[in-house]
Every structure is written in structure tokens, then in C-alpha cells.
Amino acid sequence: MEKRRRLILALDVTSRAEAKRVVDLSKDYLDAIKINWPLILAAGPDIITELAKVKDVLCDLKIADIPSINTLIVDQAVKRGASAVICHGFVGDDSVKACVDAAKGQAFVVTEMSHPGGKQFTAPVADKLAALAKSSGARGIVAPATRPERIMDLRKIIGKLEIISPGVGAQGGKASDALKAGADYIIVGRAIYESPDPKAAAKALADEVKRSI
Ligand code: O7M
């Protein structure tokens, strides 16, 4: 995954045609595309392969199962062209290690989630989840743009691991705040794909990124 534009599109649309439209309009401003269950279920897993021809694809399956099943899931995603996967850490170090190994290190571990409910169960253990990401050999963590101060705290725990940060735009976070707090990439969905002009929305974010790094 390139680290030039620092912008990852969360492509949570539910048709192949809409996915293609949004990607065509925004791709010049992206380093990667993150896909989640809505698009995979709507368009089928071949969408991973299709999008991987355009940009690096992060498969956000938020994998959270026993190690043997995690391995099978990651193998399927990688076989279809995923550059990286996203897994949960609360399932424990063996489950995370299974993802990291199957993805050859290209796994990100979710820590404190960005939505209000993220404070309830994930926030109290986020530091431990970040430490687990580090000890498991993961590529990085997912940390909330809605709470930039937590990005700073988590950075202290993970050192040079990467931080990808959702919550910009529709959830109220600001790209500049997340990047200044130490995020390597921002993840943005609705603020781009629900915009009447996804190209202009992606460009505005790219400009904000440039001003912030
Ligand atoms: O920009 P949005 O709010 O439309 O979309 C945010 C995306 O980031 C969406 O795809 C979520 O699944 C994802 N996300 C969060 O919003 N919060 C989190 O704490 C974690 C993620 C995520 O990407 O996890 C990997």
C-alpha cells in the first residue's frame, strides 16, 4: 500500500455499479480501498479481485473467530487479492496471530472503536489490544479519528506500527486532527460516497491531508 495520499476509501456501497462509479471518481486521491461486508455480500467476493486491479484492497471482515477459522478466512481474502485484512483483538493472541501469519504480516487490529458505543467495551481494553497488535507482528492498528487524543495514547504503545483511522466526516472526526495526532492514514466512507460530487469530496480531503502532514 502506497503512503502518498494517506486516504483510504471505505467503500460501503451495496452494488457493483455504485462501487465502480465511486472508485472511478475518487481513485486519483486514494492509497487504498477498504471493503466491508455490505459490498462483499452485495457484489460477491470477486469484487475483491476486481478492485485489487485498481488499488490495494483492505478486507475489513473484522475477523473474530478461533485461530483455525481465522486462517481459512484470511486465506480466502488473500487468494482473491486482498493486500491486507482487519481483525479483532478481543478474541486473543492465538486468533490474532493466525490472521497475522495467514496475511504474512499484513493485518490491522481494531482497538478502540470510533462510534459512541466504542467507549463501552473497546475503550477500556484498547491499550491492551494495541500491545497485542505489536506483540503479534501485525502491520498496525485501527484507532478512532473521533478521539484524536486516543490516537496519541495508542501511538505510544505501538511505536512505529501503522495507524489507520476511521471516523472522519460522517462520524464527526476531522482528517487534520487524526493525522496531527499520529494517524498514518484516514479512512473515509460516507463523506465521499454519499457526496453529490465524490471526486470533489475526495479532493477536498486530499487537500486537507496535504496541509496536515
Ligand atoms: O466514514 P464512514 O463513517 O462512512 O465509514 C467508516 C468506516 O470505517 C466503515 O467502513 C466502518 O466499518 C469503519 N470503522 C469505523 O467506522 N469505526 C471503527 O472503529 C473501525 C472501523 C474500521 O475500519 O475497522 C476496521
Side-chain angles (χ1 to χ4, degrees), residues 90-155:
F90 65 79
V91 271
D93 55 3
D94 51 353
S95 290
V96 171
K97 195 74 177 55
C99 290
V100 171
D101 289 348
K104 298 197 169 58
Q106 300 303 305
F108 292 88
V109 179
V110 176
T111 61
E112 178 170 326
M113 292 194 73
S114 59
H115 62 311
K119 283 190 179 170
Q120 199 174 0
F121 294 112
T122 60
V125 293
D127 292 8
K128 284 188 185 166
L129 295 170
L132 172 58
K134 190 167 186 197
S135 63
S136 307
R139 175 169 174 170
I141 62 167
V142 184
T146 45
R147 290 175 222 113
E149 69 285 0
R150 292 296 290 141
I151 297 177
M152 277 192 255
D153 297 338
L154 295 165
R155 167 62 74 200

Side-chain angles (χ1 to χ4, degrees), residues 8-26:
I8 298 171
L9 171 66
L11 191 54
D12 299 317
V13 297
T14 52
S15 85
R16 181 174 292 252
E18 181 62 0
K20 194 176 172 323
R21 184 185 80 88
V22 175
V23 168
D24 283 348
L25 288 168
S26 61

Side-chain angles (χ1 to χ4, degrees), residues 10 12 34 36 60 62 86 113-114 142 166 168 171 188-190:
D12 299 317
K34 183 183 84 69
N36 196 336
D60 177 12
K62 297 202 178 66
I86 294 169
M113 292 194 73
S114 59
V142 184
V168 169
Q171 295 181 51
V188 185
R190 285 166 288 180

